[in-house]
Amino acid sequence: MNIQSICEKYQLNKDEEKILLYMDQHSSELKDLSIRELAKRTFTSPSFIVKTCKKMKLSGYSELVFLITYTPKFPSNTENDLKVRSYVKPFSNLMDKHKDSMIMILGNGFSQNIVNYMSEYFNLHGFRCTANSHLELLRKNKDDLIIVISNSGETKRLADLCIQAKKNNKDIISFVGNGDSTIANNSSLAISSDTFNLSSFDSHYPQLFFGLTLIYFELLMSYFLSK
């Protein structure tokens, strides 16, 4: 649980934050921890804890215990539910390598909406990022990271850029719907949702690629930032 985000959202003070931090650090004990005992351990009072719960729009202490105890942990979601376990380590390694680099994100059509979201996300978290194509970032001897988004993995302009970037020894992370595509095969790390097939061209066919790409991105970044 991101205690800092909760404190910012509900404008909690240091004493209120102290309660949440203690509960988060001792989540395995909360089922058997009374509100009086928690107040004693955090040098507060039961009424102060209840007031904190109300400030967070919760019904009371029991709901706060449930919230902290049963908030799902990221590794469980990633490794068991969404099957992206194999991407976690290589993605984190590349992001760590390029945490001070310029990140260029590329996409066409509907993918441009994902590009814009990712760019805002990176900038919000202190990365240097652009959602525009700057060919100078593809040159040799420039320590930049390129992220490409393409359902088919065969978008010609993007594929050509990936081929050129690979020749210049650039690191490329691609989010694709086809793991055996040109873009995927020229990427340092290809994250495939395996959603692309000929039916994808049908206007009534569900385009799962975009939603899954956002989910994978959010989970992978959450893991990386938490570490």
Side-chain angles (χ1 to χ4, degrees):
M1 174 175 286
N2 192 326
I3 301 299
Q4 183 178 0
S5 294
I6 291 176
C7 291
E8 291 175 355
K9 180 178 180 180
Y10 295 105
Q11 298 183 343
L12 304 184
N13 60 39
K14 290 298 181 181
D15 288 330
E16 293 163 339
E17 179 182 7
K18 179 174 64 177
I19 293 171
L20 297 187
L21 286 172
Y22 184 90
M23 294 180 73
D24 189 51
Q25 293 165 2
H26 299 81
S27 58
S28 61
E29 306 173 26
L30 294 184
K31 293 179 182 178
D32 301 315
L33 189 65
S34 69
I35 189 171
R36 292 184 180 278
E37 180 61 25
L38 176 62
K40 180 180 178 180
R41 295 186 187 184
T42 56
F43 303 100
T44 58
S45 67
S47 61
F48 183 80
I49 294 174
V50 171
K51 181 181 177 182
T52 302
C53 295
K54 298 296 184 182
K55 197 171 180 179
M56 294 172 60
K57 312 300 182 185
L58 301 176
S59 60
Y61 176 64
S62 296
E63 188 173 359
L64 179 58
V65 169
F66 182 87
L67 178 67
I68 293 180
T69 303
Y70 293 100
T71 296
K73 302 299 182 182
F74 171 79
S76 174
N77 283 342
T78 301
E79 297 175 9
N80 299 324
D81 299 339
L82 295 174
K83 311 300 182 184
V84 294
R85 178 179 181 179
S86 61
Y87 299 131
V88 170
K89 186 174 181 179
F91 180 85
S92 295
N93 288 342
L94 285 170
M95 290 305 304
D96 192 52
K97 177 181 177 181
H98 293 284
K99 60 186 177 183
D100 297 317
S101 305
M102 174 62 77
I103 301 173
M104 181 169 68
I105 314 179
L106 303 173
N108 281 344
F110 283 115
S111 294
Q112 186 63 46
N113 296 310
I114 309 298
V115 169
N116 294 337
Y117 177 84
M118 289 184 178
S119 179
E120 289 292 327
Y121 184 103
F122 279 126
N123 287 322
L124 181 64
H125 287 85
F127 295 87
R128 294 188 300 135
C129 183
T130 178
N132 297 311
S133 176
H134 295 282
L135 297 183
E136 60 268 26
L137 297 182
L138 300 178
R139 295 173 184 167
K140 293 181 179 180
N141 304 320
K142 290 184 71 66
D143 184 28
D144 305 303
L145 175 65
I146 300 169
I147 298 178
V148 180
I149 303 170
S150 172
N151 189 7
S152 68
E154 298 293 346
T155 308
K156 188 178 188 310
R157 173 179 166 275
L158 299 180
D160 290 343
L161 289 176
C162 284
I163 292 172
Q164 183 60 48
K166 184 178 181 181
K167 288 180 179 178
N168 290 341
N169 297 315
K170 296 291 183 183
D171 284 326
I172 305 168
I173 297 176
S174 63
F175 289 85
V176 294
N178 179 3
D180 192 30
S181 59
T182 300
I183 291 176
N185 291 331
N186 284 278
S187 299
S188 310
L189 172 64
I191 301 171
S192 177
S193 58
D194 297 322
T195 51
F196 183 80
N197 55 49
L198 293 178
S199 298
S200 297
F201 295 105
D202 187 338
S203 60
H204 301 295
Y205 189 80
Q207 300 296 332
L208 303 180
F209 168 72
F210 305 104
L212 287 174
T213 294
L214 276 178
I215 290 171
Y216 289 174
F217 173 75
E218 287 281 355
L219 288 171
L220 291 169
M221 283 303 298
S222 176
Y223 182 88
F224 169 70
L225 293 173
S226 71
K227 297 301 180 182

